[in-house]
Amino acid sequence: MDEKVKLVKGRLEETELPYEKYDIIVSEWMGYFLLFEGMLDSVLAARDKYLAPGGMVLPNRCTIELCAIADHERYDSLVGFWSDVYGYKMSCMRSPILEEASVEVVPNQYVVSNSVNVLDLNINTCTVADTEFSSSFELKITKDCDLTGILGYFDTFFDLPSPVMFSTGPRSSPPTGSRQYSSSQKNCPWLPAKP
Protein backbone atom coordinates (compact mmCIF):
# COMPACT_ATOMS: atom_id res chain seq x y z
CA MET A 1 0.00 0.00 0.00
CA ASP A 2 2.98 2.35 0.55
CA GLU A 3 3.44 2.59 -3.21
CA LYS A 4 -0.17 3.74 -3.77
CA VAL A 5 -0.98 5.88 -0.74
CA LYS A 6 1.31 8.33 1.01
CA LEU A 7 0.07 10.12 4.12
CA VAL A 8 1.39 13.65 4.61
CA LYS A 9 0.75 15.31 7.96
CA GLY A 10 0.88 19.05 8.51
CA ARG A 11 -0.77 22.36 7.68
CA LEU A 12 -1.50 22.18 3.99
CA GLU A 13 -0.37 25.75 3.36
CA GLU A 14 3.07 24.92 4.82
CA THR A 15 3.54 21.37 3.52
CA GLU A 16 5.48 20.35 0.44
CA LEU A 17 3.51 17.71 -1.44
CA PRO A 18 5.22 15.15 -3.67
CA TYR A 19 2.86 15.56 -6.66
CA GLU A 20 1.32 18.48 -8.49
CA LYS A 21 -2.28 17.15 -8.71
CA TYR A 22 -4.37 14.59 -6.79
CA ASP A 23 -7.50 12.60 -7.61
CA ILE A 24 -8.94 12.72 -4.07
CA ILE A 25 -8.49 15.06 -1.14
CA VAL A 26 -9.84 13.76 2.18
CA SER A 27 -10.03 16.11 5.13
CA GLU A 28 -11.77 16.24 8.50
CA TRP A 29 -12.01 20.03 8.56
CA MET A 30 -15.35 20.52 10.31
CA GLY A 31 -15.62 22.70 13.40
CA TYR A 32 -18.51 22.96 15.81
CA PHE A 33 -21.75 23.86 14.05
CA LEU A 34 -19.74 22.91 10.95
CA LEU A 35 -18.16 26.31 10.23
CA PHE A 36 -16.92 27.64 13.59
CA GLU A 37 -13.22 27.02 14.13
CA GLY A 38 -13.23 24.81 11.05
CA MET A 39 -10.61 24.65 8.35
CA LEU A 40 -12.78 24.81 5.24
CA ASP A 41 -10.83 27.72 3.78
CA SER A 42 -7.65 25.60 3.83
CA VAL A 43 -9.45 22.69 2.16
CA LEU A 44 -10.84 24.95 -0.55
CA ALA A 45 -7.38 26.41 -1.18
CA ALA A 46 -6.00 22.85 -1.47
CA ARG A 47 -8.84 21.88 -3.79
CA ASP A 48 -8.15 24.82 -6.09
CA LYS A 49 -4.40 24.19 -6.10
CA TYR A 50 -4.04 20.39 -5.99
CA LEU A 51 -7.23 18.68 -7.17
CA ALA A 52 -6.92 17.07 -10.59
CA PRO A 53 -9.70 17.66 -13.14
CA GLY A 54 -12.51 15.22 -12.36
CA GLY A 55 -11.17 14.70 -8.84
CA MET A 56 -13.19 14.82 -5.62
CA VAL A 57 -12.92 16.33 -2.15
CA LEU A 58 -14.32 14.07 0.59
CA PRO A 59 -16.61 14.58 2.31
CA ASN A 60 -18.03 16.20 -0.80
CA ARG A 61 -21.17 17.71 0.72
CA CYS A 62 -22.16 19.12 4.11
CA THR A 63 -25.43 20.54 5.40
CA ILE A 64 -26.46 22.61 8.40
CA GLU A 65 -29.83 21.82 9.98
CA LEU A 66 -31.89 23.56 12.68
CA CYS A 67 -34.70 22.35 14.94
CA ALA A 68 -36.46 23.60 18.07
CA ILE A 69 -35.86 22.09 21.50
CA ALA A 70 -37.63 22.11 24.85
CA ASP A 71 -35.26 20.95 27.60
CA HIS A 72 -36.46 22.67 30.74
CA GLU A 73 -34.20 20.76 33.08
CA ARG A 74 -31.07 21.84 31.18
CA TYR A 75 -32.39 25.38 30.75
CA ASP A 76 -33.10 25.68 34.47
CA SER A 77 -29.67 24.30 35.38
CA LEU A 78 -27.98 26.93 33.20
CA VAL A 79 -30.29 29.90 33.64
CA GLY A 80 -32.61 29.30 36.58
CA PHE A 81 -29.62 28.44 38.75
CA TRP A 82 -28.79 32.16 39.06
CA SER A 83 -32.06 32.95 40.86
CA ASP A 84 -30.73 31.39 44.07
CA VAL A 85 -27.00 30.72 44.36
CA TYR A 86 -26.51 29.48 47.91
CA GLY A 87 -29.12 31.97 49.11
CA TYR A 88 -27.93 34.89 46.95
CA LYS A 89 -30.01 36.31 44.12
CA MET A 90 -27.63 36.59 41.16
CA SER A 91 -30.13 36.91 38.33
CA CYS A 92 -27.92 39.59 36.76
CA MET A 93 -25.73 36.65 35.62
CA ARG A 94 -28.55 35.20 33.52
CA SER A 95 -28.08 37.61 30.62
CA PRO A 96 -24.45 36.64 29.88
CA ILE A 97 -25.43 32.96 30.00
CA LEU A 98 -28.24 33.55 27.50
CA GLU A 99 -25.85 35.35 25.13
CA GLU A 100 -23.63 32.28 24.83
CA ALA A 101 -24.46 29.29 22.71
CA SER A 102 -23.94 25.88 24.23
CA VAL A 103 -22.06 23.04 22.55
CA GLU A 104 -23.32 19.73 23.91
CA VAL A 105 -25.15 16.54 23.06
CA VAL A 106 -28.92 17.05 23.02
CA PRO A 107 -30.96 13.83 23.17
CA ASN A 108 -33.71 13.40 20.59
CA GLN A 109 -36.39 13.40 23.32
CA TYR A 110 -36.00 17.21 23.60
CA VAL A 111 -36.55 17.91 19.90
CA VAL A 112 -40.00 19.47 19.44
CA SER A 113 -40.05 20.38 15.74
CA ASN A 114 -39.11 19.26 12.29
CA SER A 115 -35.55 19.91 11.12
CA VAL A 116 -34.87 22.42 8.38
CA ASN A 117 -31.87 22.67 6.11
CA VAL A 118 -30.38 26.17 6.18
CA LEU A 119 -27.16 25.48 4.22
CA ASP A 120 -26.11 22.83 1.71
CA LEU A 121 -22.45 23.08 0.68
CA ASN A 122 -20.99 21.21 -2.26
CA ILE A 123 -17.33 21.11 -1.18
CA ASN A 124 -16.20 20.42 -4.75
CA THR A 125 -17.64 23.72 -6.04
CA CYS A 126 -18.31 26.10 -3.12
CA THR A 127 -16.30 29.19 -2.19
CA VAL A 128 -15.55 30.73 1.19
CA ALA A 129 -18.20 33.37 0.38
CA ASP A 130 -20.83 30.59 0.36
CA THR A 131 -20.23 30.10 4.10
CA GLU A 132 -21.41 33.64 4.88
CA PHE A 133 -25.14 33.18 4.48
CA SER A 134 -28.57 33.94 5.82
CA SER A 135 -31.53 31.66 5.46
CA SER A 136 -35.24 32.02 6.00
CA PHE A 137 -36.81 29.01 7.63
CA GLU A 138 -39.96 27.84 9.31
CA LEU A 139 -40.10 25.25 12.06
CA LYS A 140 -43.27 23.29 12.68
CA ILE A 141 -43.65 22.67 16.41
CA THR A 142 -44.82 19.10 17.07
CA LYS A 143 -45.47 19.24 20.83
CA ASP A 144 -47.33 21.55 23.18
CA CYS A 145 -44.40 23.05 25.12
CA ASP A 146 -42.37 26.10 26.01
CA LEU A 147 -39.38 26.29 23.67
CA THR A 148 -36.00 26.67 25.34
CA GLY A 149 -33.78 26.99 22.29
CA ILE A 150 -32.85 26.34 18.70
CA LEU A 151 -30.55 23.41 18.02
CA GLY A 152 -28.10 23.42 15.15
CA TYR A 153 -26.22 20.41 13.81
CA PHE A 154 -24.50 19.30 10.64
CA ASP A 155 -24.38 16.29 8.38
CA THR A 156 -21.49 15.23 6.14
CA PHE A 157 -21.90 13.21 2.97
CA PHE A 158 -19.60 11.00 0.94
CA ASP A 159 -21.59 10.70 -2.28
CA LEU A 160 -19.83 7.61 -3.63
CA PRO A 161 -21.11 4.46 -5.37
CA SER A 162 -21.78 3.20 -1.82
CA PRO A 163 -22.82 6.47 -0.14
CA VAL A 164 -21.86 7.23 3.46
CA MET A 165 -23.34 9.92 5.72
CA PHE A 166 -22.42 11.04 9.21
CA SER A 167 -24.71 13.22 11.32
CA THR A 168 -24.14 15.17 14.50
CA GLY A 169 -27.92 15.51 14.86
CA PRO A 170 -30.03 14.31 17.78
CA ARG A 171 -31.80 11.74 15.60
CA SER A 172 -28.62 10.11 14.28
CA SER A 173 -28.24 6.42 14.84
CA PRO A 174 -25.85 5.31 16.00
CA PRO A 175 -24.84 8.57 17.70
CA THR A 176 -21.57 9.97 16.36
CA GLY A 177 -20.42 11.39 19.68
CA SER A 178 -20.26 14.83 18.09
CA ARG A 179 -21.99 17.68 19.77
CA GLN A 180 -24.67 20.05 18.61
CA TYR A 181 -24.86 23.80 18.99
CA SER A 182 -27.84 25.21 20.85
CA SER A 183 -28.83 28.79 21.34
CA SER A 184 -31.31 30.08 23.89
CA GLN A 185 -33.85 32.89 23.93
CA LYS A 186 -31.37 35.78 24.00
CA ASN A 187 -30.06 34.78 20.57
CA CYS A 188 -33.53 33.75 19.35
CA PRO A 189 -35.73 36.78 20.07
CA TRP A 190 -38.84 35.08 18.66
CA LEU A 191 -38.81 32.56 21.53
CA PRO A 192 -41.01 33.50 24.48
CA ALA A 193 -39.05 34.51 27.57
CA LYS A 194 -39.35 32.26 30.59
CA PRO A 195 -39.92 33.90 33.98
Side-chain angles (χ1 to χ4, degrees):
M1 196 73 167
D2 289 340
E3 298 161 10
K4 295 186 180 203
V5 176
K6 180 175 183 176
L7 297 177
V8 179
K9 184 178 179 182
R11 273 185 56 90
L12 192 53
E13 296 88 349
E14 302 165 357
T15 303
E16 189 69 30
L17 297 178
Y19 301 103
E20 190 174 312
K21 296 290 180 184
Y22 294 85
D23 295 325
I24 298 175
I25 296 173
V26 179
S27 178
E28 192 283 305
W29 55 266
M30 294 69 81
Y32 68 91
F33 199 45
L34 186 62
L35 300 173
F36 290 101
E37 297 180 2
M39 300 290 296
L40 181 59
D41 54 343
S42 294
V43 172
L44 299 183
R47 176 200 67 196
D48 295 344
K49 183 175 180 179
Y50 294 113
L51 193 63
M56 181 180 258
V57 178
L58 293 172
N60 62 298
R61 193 166 55 89
C62 298
T63 61
I64 295 178
E65 312 279 334
L66 299 177
C67 61
I69 58 172
D71 183 352
H72 298 284
E73 186 176 321
R74 180 72 177 138
Y75 182 89
D76 289 341
S77 73
L78 289 173
V79 179
F81 167 80
W82 297 103
S83 297
D84 181 8
V85 182
Y86 302 108
Y88 293 96
K89 184 178 177 183
M90 298 180 69
S91 52
C92 62
M93 297 300 292
R94 290 173 67 170
S95 184
I97 296 298
L98 290 172
E99 290 174 9
E100 293 294 319
S102 176
V103 179
E104 59 190 282
V105 174
V106 177
N108 188 41
Q109 70 194 54
Y110 300 115
V111 174
V112 295
S113 76
N114 62 315
S115 291
V116 293
N117 180 306
V118 294
L119 181 66
D120 194 328
L121 283 177
N122 180 334
I123 308 305
N124 288 302
T125 60
C126 72
T127 66
V128 172
D130 293 327
T131 66
E132 299 171 16
F133 69 98
S134 64
S135 179
S136 296
F137 63 92
E138 182 178 312
L139 295 173
K140 293 180 180 24
I141 306 304
T142 58
K143 296 179 182 176
D144 185 16
C145 62
D146 291 326
L147 299 181
T148 60
I150 300 296
L151 178 72
Y153 61 93
F154 65 90
D155 298 335
T156 58
F157 300 86
F158 296 74
D159 294 322
L160 301 166
S162 295
V164 176
M165 182 269 254
F166 295 100
S167 178
T168 63
R171 295 179 177 109
S172 64
S173 180
T176 62
S178 294
R179 302 188 184 281
Q180 299 101 26
Y181 173 89
S182 65
S183 188
S184 56
Q185 286 134 336
K186 183 82 170 188
N187 292 324
C188 305
W190 59 87
L191 292 179
K194 283 188 70 175

